[in-house]
Amino acid sequence: MQRLRAAISLANVVVIGAQWGDEGKGKITDLLSRSADVVVRYQGGVNAGHTIVVDGKVLKLHLIPSGILYPETICLIGSGTVIDPKVMLQELDMLLENDIDISGLQLASTAHVTMPYHRLLDQAMEKRRGSQKIGTTGRGIGPTYADKSQRNGIRVIDLLDEKRLRERLPQQISEKNELLQKIYNVEALDPEEVIREYLDYGERLKPHVVECTKAIHQAARNRKNILFEGAQGTLLDLDHGTFPYVTSSNPVSGGACIGAGVGPTLIDRVIGVAKAYTTRVGEGPFPTELQGSINDQLCDRGGEFGTTTGRRRRCGWFDGVIGRYAVEVNGLDCLAITKLDVLDELDEIQVCVAYELNGEEIEHFPSSAEDFARCKPIFKNLKGWQCSTAHCRKLEDLPSKAMDYLRFLADLMEVPIAIVSLGASRDQTIVIEDPIHGPKRALLSS
């Protein structure tokens, strides 16, 4: 543990997904949380999720940062998130049932709340889109952020004040009922029933509610190590992803400043998490997507089913074009590569190094979804290692061809690899003190 703390001296770090989400951020965040004093979730809602395996026990979290597994770590759900109180309380109950201390959990009073009408609208709108559906989780995240942008959302602080909630919520429900009934033919909600239910949620959450920015800046003044945890991934960013097949918030590293309420000067480094291949859930272009037996093999060996929805993920080869894009828009200092072991049985592995678009070779990510859909991957073939890596605990344990693969990825993306994950368990991880290739930067040691 002492060696790990020395290798991963945190300062203030943002951990982001460098692909379309589902990269294994939960495990990497759990690993880094050992050295963190504060872990901040800065965006997204219950549309995200991560699975952590501790002592053979599988824990699935959607809102609560994985740092909750460490009793001395403060876990803060920031203002940029949207909160489904029912799901959050279910997670808290699950943690208590597993004898996990939740006293360190803090919830921003200014986080917006997902209401029942948000879920109903999300599902109804997605159904109405038909063949043009986006692939949302149906958890009400988009409509919650829409109400936030329109300045008529309900915040956590409103659940703690019955008078305020009774002043604001009936009008919201009346307007949403009109939409639900007249446009989507969905049964109306009972305002009084919703008010009573959410006041009860507020009462249960009240012990955890804090002023977000005050808590974070107090920790910074006390020179605490702060870990900012993003949900989803770079290519699902509302502004910088594969629009319109994106989420409703900003998973990129810059989103940490907005969602947590800090300036960029507080951030010391940014770590990106990427799978050794690529996956995507939902609709939208996916240039390196595989079909047939190799897709099935990656999906089955990688357990590629969504934590939140259970949907089977689409699998493809590693895409270096979107990888380089993620390095640029996030300002990545280094990478954590996960699920390398999923490739163990392959005799040949392909990596996308560029695209062909309209007969021309391009190395950049196109901003047009239509152009992106027409991109054909240009592959580099590499030899597989065809032996198990699950037992490897240091670089020299890895087969030479696995090392060649990691070096190729680091050079392609022009950023060093500092962590390699080889399975779901905590101990199936290599923390690299001398990162693999890439520019020489101060990375995981202060």
Side-chain angles (χ1 to χ4, degrees):
M1 179 65 75
Q2 191 62 39
R3 179 178 177 274
L4 182 63
R5 282 189 173 275
I8 311 178
S9 179
L10 267 173
N12 299 327
V13 174
V14 182
V15 177
I16 61 94
Q19 295 163 320
W20 274 287
D22 307 310
E23 300 95 347
K25 295 183 297 297
K27 178 182 176 181
I28 302 304
T29 303
D30 173 58
L31 175 75
L32 297 173
S33 294
R34 302 182 192 186
S35 302
D37 300 300
V38 180
V39 180
V40 182
R41 165 78 180 274
Y42 62 83
Q43 49 77 221
V46 296
N47 55 338
H50 49 247
T51 302
I52 302 164
V53 180
V54 182
D55 298 328
K57 188 180 296 184
V58 177
L59 301 175
K60 295 187 177 183
L61 299 171
H62 299 275
L63 280 170
I64 298 173
S66 54
I68 197 70
L69 303 179
Y70 301 97
E72 296 180 0
T73 301
I74 298 298
C75 289
L76 178 57
I77 299 175
S79 298
T81 58
V82 293
I83 307 303
D84 187 325
K86 184 176 181 179
V87 175
M88 183 172 175
L89 288 166
Q90 288 172 347
E91 287 190 24
L92 289 174
D93 290 341
M94 179 271 292
L95 292 169
L96 289 171
E97 288 170 5
N98 284 277
D99 298 319
I100 294 170
D101 182 8
I102 62 170
S103 61
L105 179 67
Q106 297 181 353
L107 170 62
S109 60
T110 48
H112 280 248
V113 178
T114 297
M115 304 299 293
Y117 47 78
H118 292 135
R119 291 191 294 272
L120 292 173
L121 284 169
D122 193 3
Q123 294 160 17
M125 288 189 293
E126 184 73 346
K127 182 178 180 180
R128 195 180 183 90
R129 291 183 185 109
S131 62
Q132 295 183 328
K133 64 182 180 179
I134 297 171
T136 78
T137 60
R139 301 299 181 94
I141 307 306
T144 309
Y145 275 112
D147 272 0
K148 176 180 179 178
S149 297
Q150 292 171 354
R151 301 177 294 282
N152 59 9
I154 301 298
R155 302 191 297 176
V156 170
I157 197 170
D158 298 325
L159 305 186
L160 310 183
D161 187 326
E162 182 172 355
K163 180 182 177 183
R164 184 188 303 155
L165 194 64
R166 288 189 177 278
E167 287 174 351
R168 302 197 62 217
L169 197 51
Q171 181 182 351
Q172 292 298 315
I173 294 179
S174 176
E175 292 176 359
K176 296 304 192 294
N177 275 343
E178 279 201 65
L179 281 173
L180 290 169
Q181 290 178 293
K182 295 181 179 179
I183 297 179
Y184 298 110
N185 196 30
V186 175
E187 187 176 344
L189 293 164
D190 180 341
E192 183 59 31
E193 186 178 313
V194 175
I195 288 171
R196 288 198 304 268
E197 179 183 1
Y198 278 74
L199 284 172
D200 181 60
Y201 292 153
E203 189 63 30
R204 290 191 61 192
L205 291 173
K206 187 175 181 178
H208 301 284
V209 177
V210 300
E211 294 182 26
C212 176
T213 54
K214 179 181 177 183
I216 293 175
H217 287 282
Q218 185 61 54
R221 281 192 292 271
N222 292 336
R223 303 183 66 81
K224 301 295 186 181
N225 288 335
I226 305 173
L227 176 63
F228 298 90
E229 174 188 7
Q232 290 99 19
T234 299
L235 275 295
L236 292 180
D237 187 273
L238 180 60
D239 294 300
H240 304 289
T242 49
F243 189 88
Y245 305 100
V246 293
T247 192
S248 305
S249 58
N250 295 107
V252 295
S253 60
C257 296
I258 298 169
V262 302
T265 53
L266 191 69
I267 307 299
D268 294 301
R269 56 185 71 102
V270 183
I271 299 175
V273 184
K275 281 177 183 166
Y277 48 102
T278 309
T279 63
R280 178 167 197 172
V281 170
E283 308 301 316
F286 185 0
T288 68
E289 184 172 11
L290 288 161
Q291 306 293 335
S293 60
I294 298 181
N295 172 75
D296 294 341
Q297 184 176 357
L298 292 179
C299 189
D300 293 340
R301 280 184 56 83
E304 297 299 352
F305 299 90
T307 302
T308 298
T309 63
R311 286 183 293 184
R312 188 180 179 92
R313 295 175 185 141
R314 300 156 64 190
C315 296
W317 297 119
F318 190 94
D319 189 329
V321 179
I322 67 168
R324 287 192 298 267
Y325 177 72
V327 171
E328 292 173 348
V329 299
N330 292 291
L332 295 187
D333 290 293
C334 63
L335 277 170
I337 296 293
T338 63
K339 295 195 174 185
L340 183 69
D341 57 301
V342 174
L343 305 180
D344 283 352
E345 296 179 356
L346 301 178
D347 61 343
E348 184 177 84
I349 302 167
Q350 293 186 308
V351 176
C352 174
V353 296
Y355 299 144
E356 180 187 320
L357 176 61
N358 299 328
E360 295 185 8
E361 182 175 328
I362 64 170
E363 295 184 352
H364 65 274
F365 167 67
S367 57
S368 162
E370 290 74 21
D371 284 347
F372 191 47
R374 290 196 295 270
C375 285
K376 299 178 181 178
I378 297 173
F379 287 116
K380 168 75 173 179
N381 294 337
L382 290 89
K383 291 291 185 183
W385 41 96
Q386 295 186 284
C387 62
S388 175
T389 58
H391 63 283
C392 299
R393 297 296 180 270
K394 50 186 183 293
L395 279 184
E396 48 265 40
D397 294 338
L398 289 172
S400 61
K401 288 185 173 60
M403 279 297 301
D404 290 343
Y405 184 69
L406 292 172
R407 290 190 188 99
F408 184 83
L409 297 187
D411 290 346
L412 177 65
M413 296 178 64
E414 299 182 345
V415 70
I417 295 170
I419 300 171
V420 179
S421 173
L422 302 150
S425 297
R426 281 175 169 176
D427 65 330
Q428 292 179 299
T429 312
I430 301 173
V431 179
I432 307 168
E433 294 186 5
D434 183 17
I436 300 172
H437 284 206
K440 296 293 184 181
R441 305 184 191 182
L443 293 173
L444 297 181
S445 57
S446 58

